[in-house]
Amino acid sequence: MTARRVVPNVRTTATGMRRSAEFYGLLGFQEVMNLGWITTLASPTAPEATQVSFLTHDLTAPVVPDVSVEVDDVDTAYAAVLESGAEIVYPLRDEEWGVRRFFVRDPAGRVVNVLGHHRPAGPSAPEAPSAP
């Protein structure tokens, strides 16, 4: 299993989300995802590496995670975390917006959203878009 990217998550209000998008736009970030409760901004030249997300809440989980880590095999990551005895904050599940994820508490007490993107079946299917 390999980590693919790390995205900081910032809890905010709806007004704060809009103001953050405007502010980070001054630094060259562009909106790449907006689900209403979460907005992700990214660099237009390195979107897979340079991202930040702003959340008013989490649609299905009990808490807003502090950071999101995309991995290439979320099931293997989940098995490793379970075996380690770390606290699972939100169990592994498929979300309607195209990710498979779980939340775990790290040793410093931060909640980590560990995720992988659903890949449609078939050799010609496009890759799912990036989203926390």
Side-chain angles (χ1 to χ4, degrees), residues 18-31 41-42:
R18 181 184 44 75
R19 293 180 67 207
S20 293
E22 291 170 2
F23 174 80
Y24 282 91
L26 299 172
L27 302 176
F29 284 77
Q30 296 177 343
E31 185 178 281
L41 308 175

Side-chain angles (χ1 to χ4, degrees), residues 26-116:
L26 299 172
L27 302 176
F29 284 77
Q30 296 177 343
E31 185 178 281
V32 294
M33 183 187 72
N34 187 333
L35 299 178
W37 56 274
I38 180 173
T39 297
T40 299
L41 308 175
S43 161
T45 57
E48 40 315 299
T50 308
Q51 295 186 0
V52 61
S53 291
F54 299 91
L55 298 88
T56 58
H57 65 284
D58 191 284
L59 188 63
T60 57
V63 299
V64 171
D66 298 297
V67 64
S68 294
V69 176
E70 180 183 359
V71 296
D72 63 354
D73 186 342
V74 71
D75 292 287
T76 298
Y78 189 67
V81 167
L82 279 175
E83 188 173 316
S84 78
E87 178 189 354
I88 300 297
V89 177
Y90 182 69
L92 184 64
R93 71 179 265 178
D94 295 326
E95 302 289 8
E96 65 186 48
W97 56 91
V99 299
R100 183 166 173 78
R101 70 181 184 154
F102 68 94
F103 291 6
V104 60
R105 193 170 308 279
D106 78 5
R110 300 291 180 197
V111 176
V112 180
N113 171 26
V114 182
L115 68 119

